[in-house]
Amino acid sequence: MAGMNFAQWGNDLYTGRRSYPIVQRRKTWFTIVGLFAIASIVVLLTKGLTLGIDFRGGTEFTVAGATTTDQQPAVDAVHDVLPDDEPRVAVVGGDSVRVQTETVDDAQKSELATGLADAYGVEESAVTTSFVGPTWGAGVSMRALWGTVVFIAAAALFMAVYFRAWRMSVAAIVAMLSDLLISAGVYSLIGWEVTPSTIIGFLTILGFSLYDKMVVFDKVRENTADLQTQTRSTYEERANLAVNQTLVRSINTSVVALLPVASILFVGAFLLGAGTLRDLSLSLFVGIAVGAASSIFLATPLDAALRNGEPKIAAHTRAVLESRQQLAAEGGHEAELAAATTGSAQLIPGRHQGQGAQPRRRRGN
């Protein structure tokens, strides 16, 4: 029964029999997104991102087969050699401990390896070390930044060419930037390290976000293709119909994508400890959820707001409202007025449902 009700709900949204004023309430969504964006900026400015060793440089020690996974022994061992350092300690693989410190020389590295081996009851050969120089880390950071910039620029160009409407491109890019900002804010708030895997995750969610917005915008373009040839509905109303028509698809796609990512996040965070799986899955989980929401509540409402300022769209909107006022003055049926407001071209129930009347098509230009 629940499945049938959901299917009926989706069918009603597609045909326009049921409609939520998502685009019409854009000021509410803009305010909510703005508050989240401001909160993310505040968190990023005050707390910042916890950069991994690949970005900041340093020395990493991995203790395999540790007798305990407590972090304090590693902290104490590091402080014995580097009193002013604040090491980052994490459990990886269940019985291994990863310790990241500032850059050390060979003597300090040997002393730290011996101290960590004693702290965790293993042979010194079980402690492996790796070094990341600050120059290499800076190079990784710059490549990650350029990768993001190039992706956003290519997406903006593609959207403008594909839809032949720069306002859609602007709306999509603003929505994707908000996805990135809010996702980064959540990452900063949680305090997990930003690694190359995290950057890959961010680029992946930008791709998912772009795809989701293109599906909605494609429906907007389809619904508004003959906009100027009729005076039944405005651009805003037909854009809102497109959002409602793709609402079920957006929900289904997001749920299907989030379930396996949530499983990976659980396995990476709670079973395997810190590592590539956790870094990648958290950015994917947050980004997919935020991207799906922005496709519905930000991208299309922003496009409608931009298009309403276009002279020909503004003139058409005035013509629709004048036609609607004239229809009301002539005693137009309430159902026709309601249907005109949805912007759908579906059948309208007859005036006397239940008395044998058949559905009739809406009257319009």
Side-chain angles (χ1 to χ4, degrees):
M1 181 64 68
M4 294 178 61
N5 290 338
F6 185 78
Q8 183 62 47
W9 178 67
N11 183 68
D12 289 347
L13 287 175
Y14 194 86
T15 59
R17 291 187 179 92
R18 182 193 300 267
S19 181
Y20 300 104
I22 296 173
V23 174
Q24 287 82 354
R25 294 180 179 174
R26 56 183 174 272
K27 290 183 179 179
T28 301
W29 315 132
F30 292 168
T31 301
I32 294 173
V33 172
L35 291 175
F36 273 105
I38 292 173
S40 297
I41 292 173
V42 170
V43 171
L44 288 169
L45 290 178
T46 56
K47 189 175 181 180
L49 290 170
T50 304
L51 297 179
I53 194 172
D54 296 285
F55 294 104
R56 70 179 191 277
T59 306
E60 180 176 284
F61 300 84
T62 302
V63 183
T67 55
T68 177
T69 56
D70 291 340
Q71 297 184 4
Q72 194 58 44
V75 174
D76 294 337
V78 172
H79 283 168
D80 288 341
V81 181
L82 306 170
D84 298 328
D85 191 18
E86 292 297 331
R88 297 178 182 177
V89 185
V91 179
V92 292
D95 62 348
S96 297
V97 178
R98 186 185 67 191
V99 184
Q100 295 178 346
T101 70
E102 63 186 36
T103 303
V104 298
D105 55 34
D106 291 340
Q108 291 171 324
K109 181 172 68 175
S110 177
E111 191 175 353
L112 281 170
T114 301
L116 289 171
D118 293 340
Y120 286 101
V122 297
E123 297 291 333
E124 191 170 339
S125 59
V127 180
T128 58
T129 61
S130 60
F131 169 75
V132 177
T135 302
W136 192 86
V140 172
S141 302
M142 186 58 64
R143 285 192 290 272
L145 178 62
W146 272 111
T148 305
V149 171
V150 169
F151 178 91
I152 293 175
L157 179 62
F158 176 77
M159 294 280 288
V161 172
Y162 182 78
F163 291 110
R164 296 185 296 277
W166 65 266
R167 291 172 179 83
M168 279 189 174
S169 178
V170 170
I173 295 306
V174 169
M176 285 196 296
L177 288 176
S178 73
D179 297 343
L180 193 60
L181 176 61
I182 295 173
S183 299
V186 173
Y187 225 92
S188 175
L189 186 64
I190 293 176
W192 285 0
E193 286 189 349
V194 176
T195 67
S197 298
T198 307
I199 302 302
I200 293 172
F202 281 147
L203 292 176
T204 302
I205 64 175
L206 287 178
F208 176 87
S209 179
L210 175 64
Y211 168 73
D212 206 36
K213 289 164 180 57
M214 286 195 62
V215 170
V216 181
F217 280 166
D218 205 45
K219 196 63 182 176
V220 173
R221 183 176 64 171
E222 178 184 331
N223 288 354
T224 58
D226 62 342
L227 183 72
Q228 300 293 331
T229 65
Q230 53 80 45
T231 55
R232 297 187 301 273
S233 53
T234 65
Y235 182 93
E236 182 177 299
E237 292 162 353
R238 292 202 169 192
N240 188 69
L241 176 64
V243 175
N244 280 270
Q245 288 175 324
T246 55
L247 184 60
V248 172
R249 178 214 157 274
S250 295
I251 293 174
N252 288 339
T253 302
S254 301
V255 171
V256 169
L258 284 174
L259 286 177
V261 173
S263 300
I264 296 173
L265 179 60
F266 176 81
V267 171
F270 299 104
L271 299 183
L272 299 181
T276 302
L277 281 179
R278 193 186 75 169
D279 299 336
L280 179 62
S281 57
L282 177 64
S283 59
L284 287 177
F285 186 86
V286 175
I288 289 173
V290 173
S294 70
S295 298
I296 299 170
F297 298 106
L298 179 58
T300 306
L302 181 57
D303 170 65
L306 294 174
R307 293 299 296 269
N308 281 342
E310 193 175 344
K312 65 177 183 179
I313 297 297
H316 177 265
T317 299
R318 289 193 297 269
V320 171
L321 296 179
E322 291 172 359
S323 175
R324 204 167 289 169
Q325 290 176 352
Q326 182 180 0
L327 179 63
E330 294 173 355
H333 189 249
E334 293 181 1
E336 294 186 19
L337 290 173
T341 306
T342 65
S344 62
Q346 307 299 325
L347 295 178
I348 300 174
R351 188 178 302 231
H352 302 290
Q353 293 277 2
Q355 297 184 10
Q358 296 297 322
R360 59 189 176 87
R361 292 192 178 274
R362 179 179 61 216
R363 183 175 60 193
N365 291 348

